[in-house]
Amino acid sequence: MSEIKKVLLITIDCLRGDHVHYNGYERNITPTIDKLAKEGSNFFMAFSNGPHTHYSFPSILTSTYPLMFEGPKIGAGRITLAEVMKMLGFKTVGLNSNPFLSEYFGYGKGFNIFNDFLSGEETKKKSSLAVKLRKKIPKGSIVYRFLQFADKYRAIKNHKTPYITADELRERVIDHLEGYKDEKLFLWGHFMDAHYPYLPDKEVMKKLGFKDVNDFKKARLFTKMLNAPEKVTPEETQILINLYDAQIYTIDQEIKKILEYLDENGLLDETLIVITADHGEEFGEHEDFTHRVDKDKPTLYNVHVHVPLIFYSGSWDCQDVKSNVSLMDLAPTIVDLVSGQKVKKFMGKSLLPLMSGEEEEHRAFYSEHEYQESEIVGNIMKERKKAIAYVEYPYKLIYYEGDNSYQLYNFEDDPEERNNLISDPNSQEIVSYMKNKIREHLKEIELSKVRIKMRKLNL
């Protein structure tokens, strides 16, 4: 493989691993991503270490579990991939418009240029009247739902999204690639368009053969799926999936333009391209939609944590991987491919032995989250409870701290995770073993927090 002078990390918010055509999805909505997967190294069973941006990205960019140290905020105890790449002589650029990945949460750490698009005039725009009124009305009431609908309709009508669109992000990525054409560069770009609200252009819907949906119907459907998910019909669910898939295609076509730029400028062979997602998206499989954390229990099912993972270079000789892996290993792999070195603070390990065929074993890992057992009352927040999933092929054990409950799934026999085996007499040995693994992990989480406190006290 040629010397790697450029590393392009592309993360896509909410992209499910099973909505990539190369991974078996029936719709051909990812032709560019498929090409990279086919010519690079594709991980069919990659998983995020959290079902929400706030809890997945610490693993992606720091190779640590999100609940450790000071929680999901990037602070003491963690070193970022950007910091390591800077030490290796790369200029570092980060571009994203997700508030959970902002400078406030420490994600600018290690970047020469970091733009989270949360400063300037755009953030000074006043909230709509509907939003202001909604804050004073009991959540779930008829008036609250009407105001929620009114605000969504207004936003959809104006095609107003809370993030920068794929075409704008692509332009900025290419601008920085051009600006650092003759230098070593690590660039991270985060696409938000597959995130709710799904607002594809009419031309994209038509091209994919999907029936367009008027703005009023979108607002009504978005409001319904958030407030009464159990009432969303199969036909309405399909409409939501169509909108979501169209946004995935939109992102894919912008990635195509980035690849064309690299190819036309002779940069493709010296560029390592990594594509993944922070988490997936639910469409009623477990009685809800999107990837909400305002529920009593967060979901840690595969629809939320199964994600794409692709490593591509113009001069590649690695193979696809079917073993279970997690995004904890993404940062160590990039460092290994670029320099052959290891980072002591990274908890994951390089995936290169799997890509080269030296190893075939599944890797065990945790996926985790926090949740509240009840809503915030005034400014008082209830103590947050932990939710931990331990995955060791072919089993997944999910633990909810709030009610001390467990769920066990064999996702080789039950990929949709419908059959909870926690009370199955034949599964008690594996239940006992995996419960112990979760107990050990909870102890490590607490120990990591103690170490940080002691460090701050200079003990």
Side-chain angles (χ1 to χ4, degrees):
M1 187 170 69
S2 303
E3 180 188 0
I4 295 172
K5 297 180 181 178
K6 303 279 188 296
V7 177
L8 178 58
L9 173 59
I10 296 174
T11 54
I12 303 170
D13 215 293
C14 303
L15 177 55
R16 288 170 56 147
D18 61 356
H19 274 244
V20 173
H21 184 60
Y22 190 79
N23 285 351
Y25 192 46
E26 64 273 12
R27 287 177 163 177
N28 187 13
I29 57 170
T30 51
T32 307
I33 294 172
D34 294 341
K35 181 179 185 297
L36 294 173
K38 183 178 180 180
E39 297 178 6
S41 187
N42 182 66
F43 287 78
F44 289 97
M45 296 300 289
F47 296 87
S48 65
N49 298 100
H52 180 273
T53 303
H54 198 40
Y55 295 94
S56 62
F57 258 96
S59 297
I60 295 173
L61 292 183
T62 74
S63 188
T64 58
Y65 282 109
L67 298 186
M68 289 185 167
F69 307 109
E70 297 177 300
K73 193 169 183 177
I74 308 303
R78 291 182 165 117
I79 187 171
T80 68
L81 177 58
E83 288 179 292
V84 175
M85 296 301 286
K86 186 184 286 188
M87 292 176 197
L88 293 173
F90 286 75
K91 299 295 184 182
T92 54
V93 176
L95 305 169
N96 91 86
S97 57
N98 187 315
F100 288 108
L101 304 176
S102 65
E103 185 77 57
Y104 175 80
F105 289 107
Y107 279 94
K109 194 178 175 186
F111 285 102
N112 295 114
I113 297 174
F114 184 75
N115 195 336
D116 56 18
F117 303 94
L118 295 178
S119 59
E121 293 303 315
E122 286 299 313
T123 60
K124 298 177 183 177
K125 290 182 179 178
K126 295 181 179 180
S127 300
S128 70
L129 179 61
V131 171
K132 292 178 179 178
L133 289 173
R134 215 163 69 220
K135 291 179 179 179
K136 301 179 180 180
I137 295 171
K139 190 175 182 180
S141 67
I142 293 175
V143 175
Y144 178 93
R145 293 186 182 188
F146 172 77
L147 291 172
Q148 187 181 44
F149 164 81
D151 191 57
K152 292 188 188 312
Y153 178 71
R154 173 179 170 274
I156 292 168
K157 191 74 176 175
N158 297 326
H159 206 83
K160 180 183 177 183
T161 63
Y163 50 79
I164 65 166
T165 55
D167 58 338
E168 184 177 351
L169 181 61
R170 179 259 307 161
E171 288 177 1
R172 291 175 183 257
V173 167
I174 291 177
D175 284 346
H176 285 293
L177 287 170
E178 179 68 22
Y180 291 102
K181 186 185 293 186
D182 300 321
E183 299 183 66
K184 294 173 74 173
L185 174 68
F186 168 65
L187 193 157
W188 164 47
H190 185 67
F191 285 95
M192 285 292 296
D193 305 72
H195 193 288
Y196 158 84
Y198 324 114
L199 301 176
D201 291 338
K202 292 181 180 180
E203 294 76 14
V204 174
M205 293 288 283
K206 183 178 180 181
K207 184 173 183 177
L208 294 175
F210 302 157
K211 185 178 179 181
D212 193 31
V213 185
N214 64 52
D215 295 336
F216 182 88
K217 188 171 185 178
K218 285 177 190 171
R220 185 185 64 80
L221 190 50
F222 291 157
T223 304
K224 184 177 182 180
M225 78 173 185
L226 294 177
N227 292 314
E230 73 282 356
K231 295 182 180 180
V232 177
T233 67
E235 292 76 16
E236 290 172 328
T237 298
Q238 190 56 59
I239 291 172
L240 290 167
I241 292 173
N242 290 349
L243 294 169
Y244 171 73
D245 282 352
Q247 288 292 74
I248 293 172
Y249 179 80
T250 298
I251 295 168
D252 183 273
Q253 293 304 289
E254 297 303 330
I255 294 174
K256 179 182 178 181
K257 293 173 184 176
I258 295 172
L259 290 181
E260 288 172 346
Y261 168 83
L262 291 170
D263 191 29
E264 290 167 2
N265 287 272
L267 301 174
L268 201 54
D269 283 351
E270 64 181 45
T271 303
L272 171 66
I273 300 171
V274 183
I275 294 182
T276 191
D278 53 352
H279 54 79
E281 191 85 328
E282 182 176 350
F283 290 96
E285 292 90 346
H286 296 277
E287 288 70 56
D288 201 11
F289 290 81
T290 72
H291 54 284
R292 293 193 283 182
V293 296
D294 58 347
K295 297 168 57 182
D296 283 350
K297 292 180 180 178
T299 51
L300 287 163
Y301 300 110
N302 285 354
V303 293
H304 281 88
V305 297
H306 178 213
V307 294
L309 178 59
I310 300 163
F311 290 83
Y312 170 88
S313 175
S315 53
W316 198 255
D317 58 357
C318 288
Q319 62 188 31
D320 288 348
V321 178
K322 294 183 179 180
S323 304
N324 282 7
V325 301
S326 82
L327 298 187
M328 179 74 73
D329 298 332
L330 184 149
T333 306
I334 291 176
V335 174
D336 189 11
L337 287 167
V338 168
S339 69
Q341 298 185 42
K342 295 181 180 180
V343 180
K344 287 184 179 180
K345 284 192 175 182
F346 284 174
M347 297 177 67
K349 59 181 183 179
S350 174
L351 295 166
L352 192 54
L354 286 169
M355 292 190 285
S356 64
E358 294 176 27
E359 294 180 12
E360 294 182 354
E361 295 82 7
H362 295 276
R363 294 190 177 179
F365 58 89
Y366 299 92
S367 187
E368 56 196 42
H369 205 304
E370 288 177 313
Y371 65 100
Q372 292 168 215
E373 293 187 280
S374 60
E375 293 181 13
I376 298 173
V377 179
N379 292 321
I380 300 173
M381 181 184 290
K382 296 283 187 177
E383 181 184 356
R384 298 183 72 80
K385 302 296 184 179
K386 297 178 183 66
I388 311 282
Y390 175 64
V391 178
E392 186 171 330
Y393 186 83
Y395 292 100
K396 177 196 289 182
L397 183 70
I398 304 174
Y399 166 65
Y400 294 111
E401 184 182 33
D403 59 5
N404 196 38
S405 65
Y406 292 87
Q407 297 174 24
L408 177 70
Y409 299 99
N410 181 327
F411 56 78
E412 183 178 78
D413 298 336
D414 177 28
E416 295 183 356
E417 297 170 302
R418 302 287 187 184
N419 183 23
N420 184 3
L421 301 172
I422 197 65
S423 300
D424 175 25
N426 297 322
S427 301
Q428 293 314 298
E429 185 175 346
I430 190 67
V431 167
S432 178
Y433 166 75
M434 297 183 84
K435 279 185 177 181
N436 189 54
K437 286 290 186 180
I438 288 178
R439 281 193 291 268
E440 290 175 358
H441 185 61
L442 287 168
K443 288 179 182 178
E444 284 298 316
I445 289 172
E446 295 310 312
L447 280 173
S448 71
K449 295 180 184 296
V450 170
R451 292 188 195 105
I452 293 301
K453 289 178 181 178
M454 291 178 68
R455 185 182 301 175
K456 288 183 175 180
L457 294 171
N458 294 319
L459 297 176

